[in-house]
Amino acid sequence: MRRGQLVDPVAQRLLELQKVSGTQWLLRIVGTAMTLLALLMTFGGTGLLAHFGTTLITLVVALGLLCQFRNPDSDLGLLAPVGIVVGILAQGEVSMLRTAGIGLMLLIAHSAYALAATIPVHGVFGRSAWLLAGKGLLAVLVLSLLGGLLVAGLSGVQLGPWMMVVGVLAATGLFIAVLPRGR
């Protein structure tokens, strides 16, 4: 086997990495870092490989991050947040502040990957694009904070089954508001 047969495919893959812009690398790294931070907040530093369940969730999150880092628009990127949510649910009693922190990390990660998915791999954000993205993220953060405060305020209130109707109507209204419209 010639050395060129081994080196050429590796060199080709390394050349393809140059096609990815610095903006893409930044957004992908921020998304990955925030997801890993959320995973660490979920289990703690030593709890990632504590037993079979946490090890399995850690591997699922790692697989999801690998898929999403390679292609930010991949649906397999949902594995990471779903794995983290399953980890939170499996723990039972988790403080509201810790859960809010995990949610904030996942929101930032999602925003970074969403921005990475909207621009071409070689695309670069200019100053105006960063400002526009920041304005959009600020609005999302404010609405998330208001929603979180509403949930925290209503967490001690016992509501009847009729509230399911109100919840379904609110979720339907939210989906209608955020889904793209046909032109």
Side-chain angles (χ1 to χ4, degrees):
M1 182 186 252
R2 293 185 2 221
R3 192 174 2 167
Q5 291 174 331
L6 290 174
V7 174
D8 287 344
V10 173
Q12 185 65 30
R13 295 230 184 232
L14 289 174
L15 285 173
E16 286 179 11
L17 289 178
Q18 289 180 341
K19 295 178 185 175
V20 178
S21 70
T23 302
Q24 277 283 345
W25 281 114
L26 175 69
L27 291 171
R28 291 176 188 192
I29 288 171
V30 166
T32 302
M34 291 296 115
T35 305
L36 288 175
L37 186 59
L39 180 66
L40 286 173
M41 287 177 69
T42 301
F43 294 124
T46 59
L48 292 177
L49 304 172
H51 57 80
F52 180 73
T54 58
T55 303
L56 184 64
I57 290 173
T58 301
L59 290 174
V60 166
V61 170
L63 177 67
L65 281 176
L66 184 65
C67 292
Q68 197 161 24
F69 193 82
R70 189 161 190 271
N71 180 12
D73 203 19
S74 172
D75 290 337
L76 291 176
L78 288 173
L79 287 174
V82 167
I84 291 172
V85 169
V86 168
I88 292 171
L89 292 174
Q91 290 180 10
E93 200 63 36
V94 180
S95 73
M96 192 176 299
L97 186 61
R98 186 169 143 207
T99 307
I102 294 168
L104 178 65
M105 295 302 126
L106 288 177
L107 179 66
I108 293 170
H110 172 71
S111 299
Y113 275 124
L115 281 174
T118 59
I119 62 173
V121 175
H122 58 277
V124 177
F125 268 7
R127 183 176 186 276
S128 61
W130 282 111
L131 288 174
L132 184 63
K135 286 178 187 178
L137 181 59
L138 183 63
V140 168
L141 288 174
V142 167
L143 287 174
S144 296
L145 178 67
L146 289 175
L149 290 174
L150 180 67
V151 167
L154 293 176
S155 65
V157 178
Q158 293 290 335
L159 300 171
W162 59 272
M163 282 303 291
M164 286 299 293
V165 174
V166 176
V168 168
L169 290 175
T172 304
L174 178 67
F175 286 137
I176 290 172
V178 298
L179 286 177
R181 291 172 176 72
R183 294 178 188 233

